[in-house]
Amino acid sequence: MLEVVDPGLLSTIQDAGRPWAADQGVPRGGACDPLALRVLEQLVGGPAGSTAALEITLAGPELAVRETCVIGLSGADLECEVTEERRPLRPGTTALVRAGTTLRFGAARDGCRAYLSLAGGIDVPLVLGSRSTCSVGGFGGIDGEGRPIRAGDLLRPMKPGALGLAGRRWPGRAGGSVGASGSTVVRVVAGPHLDRFPKGSLEGLRSNSWEVSGRSDRMGIRLDGSALPVPARPDLVSIPVTWGAVQVPPSGQPIVLLADHQTVGGYPIVAVVASVDRPVLGQLRAGDAVRFEVVEAVLARRLKIASDAIFDADAAMFRTDASDATAG
Amino acid sequence: MIVPFGDEALLVVLGEVIDAAVNQQAHAVARGVRAARDESWHSPWGVPVPSYASVLVPYDAASIDEAEATRRLTALVARTARTAQASVEIEGPVQDIAVRYGNADGPDLETVADRTGLTTDQVIEAHASTVYTVYLLGFVPGFAYLGILPPELELPRRNEPRLRVPRGSVGIAGRQTAVYPFETPGGWHLIGRSDAVLWDSRRESPSLLRAGQRVRFVPEPRA
């Protein structure tokens, strides 16, 4: 069990979200780096989709270990360390942490979101089929209250006795790393409103270089760069929108929707991020440079299927390693 | 018309208007997709999301490709269009929502009266004498876009959106009216307030209102 000493910048409980509740106006929610969450589910032995993790943004919390337990980490490397032992904990691993020690975080090395979970997942209530924090609706997450963690909160494992989960290592990528350089290529397919835009808008999205604005959050990534041409009649009847939709408001500065996006939107959508690149999208930091590559939908689907196959192969290898460790 | 929306969803576009008949078609398509989901474990469809004149239909891209999804959804939409006219009692009973109009509860009531050339009583009478339909839920959980507002109440949004609209506020903008389920920012004209709980995640059905439902506002006696 962990106790929050200092909450850091923004840490919320997330699992795979509530895609089934969008017709009630509920944001999908869930981990902004979905690959990191899937890796963590495997590492801590939690159920697919509803394993709760702490999504830690940029400046991590300080967590006191109150009862010896197993923690797992994935996503970006935010330099997590067991302070008293000067022991660094890396994404893609699990470790035993002893009562009386403290976890602290450092700089964001290759992304902005790290994920931390406990054996079996963090024990918070299911609300509408998910443990994710819905800030706007005030439900889900810690105590079901729809808020970030704060000092004094206790994070309890679903399987407190499962100390044998320590020392595991994920053999593949632990999330959508954007690297230290902060220059990232994101693949997109043509959007549903492309025919409304003046000629050259998609080309502009592709050829311009964009910078992630500091006004980005879990709802969307705002991009700064040379303004894209916008449709002559920008006032659309609102349509349902998805994670990855690239909206272009009248300013011409695109907004890429993330996991907490509103369910409907009225801005024209020039492109949609390929689902395979959602993990990378979720790791972009303010100031990072972004380029877009336009791909055919057929290729986007193949890339996603290939990426899922790699994950499955990693998972098979991981299970073999884990059972060897148990046998040995 | 069916267009791709990314590599895991299709968008059924039924029009470009805020119109009762088109919106009913959207709800009929959403119901059709839900029914197909419920019929089979192998259904490739995710939960559909209807809006004014379109429906987002996610699909399992690992099992079918875009062309196959489009072909199947086209057939499903055609079937829905044939059966939509036959289904009658889709909306259920009218949901009454009690409202305290004006004063501190409806700080924009006077302004709305001024700008529409009506008295405040006429504004209330117009707003409360209409039976509305839930066109869609969006913005925040349980926020139901209700239409269509009587034409004499049509106004553009406020120039300066409020940073905080109190929970339960009843607003109007354009051809729409709604009750704010939570304290949020908002740009609509606030004419009253209700104690109705639009959203409670502990309820079996958290949202008081659902798409397609009919709603009537009932004025509470003014203090």
Side-chain angles (χ1 to χ4, degrees), chain B:
Chain B
M1 183 175 61
I2 294 176
V3 295
F5 198 133
D7 56 4
E8 294 187 330
L10 299 172
L11 186 70
V12 183
V13 181
L14 301 158
E16 274 290 322
V17 288
I18 299 181
D19 172 87
V22 175
N23 186 245
Q24 277 173 21
Q25 282 179 41
H27 296 152
V29 168
R31 276 196 305 277
V33 173
R34 277 185 174 275
R37 261 174 67 82
D38 294 344
E39 268 166 29
S40 162
W41 287 101
H42 305 296
S43 167
W45 310 122
V47 173
V49 188
S51 181
Y52 290 108
S54 55
V55 187
L56 183 79
V57 183
Y59 60 91
D60 176 17
S63 66
I64 56 171
D65 65 12
E66 187 181 292
E68 175 67 8
T70 305
R71 196 185 61 73
R72 288 204 210 175
L73 189 58
T74 303
L76 198 155
V77 170
R79 277 201 306 278
T80 309
R82 281 200 301 276
T83 53
Q85 279 101 344
S87 69
V88 263
E89 33 60 83
I90 48 170
E91 296 111 338
V94 177
Q95 172 74 47
D96 284 343
I97 294 181
V99 181
R100 298 181 302 276
Y101 286 96
N103 300 323
D105 291 318
D108 297 333
L109 181 63
E110 302 273 354
T111 317
V112 169
D114 283 350
R115 292 183 56 183
T116 55
L118 302 173
T119 66
T120 53
D121 282 344
Q122 286 170 327
V123 171
I124 295 168
E125 166 69 21
H127 188 257
S129 63
T130 305
V131 175
Y132 301 95
T133 302
V134 178
Y135 275 60
L136 69 145
L137 284 93
F139 177 49
V140 295
F143 187 99
Y145 290 82
L146 302 169
I148 290 176
L149 201 66
E152 63 267 31
L153 296 183
E154 269 190 53
L155 286 174
R157 287 163 195 232
R158 287 165 54 89
N159 288 333
E160 290 291 321
R162 288 185 171 87
L163 290 176
R164 286 181 180 183
V165 171
R167 168 200 289 251
S169 295
V170 178
I172 61 171
R175 309 173 74 188
Q176 308 278 292
T177 181
V179 186
Y180 285 78
F182 307 102
E183 181 182 291
T184 58
W188 293 21
H189 303 274
L190 308 182
I191 60 171
R193 200 164 170 197
S194 174
D195 293 330
V197 179
L198 273 289
W199 181 269
D200 181 350
S201 50
R202 291 163 302 183
R203 282 196 298 236
E204 190 178 323
S205 180
S207 179
L208 178 67
L209 305 177
R210 59 195 158 67
Q213 194 171 5
R214 288 173 302 159
V215 177
R216 181 171 47 207
F217 293 105
V218 181
E220 287 185 14
R222 296 172 81 177

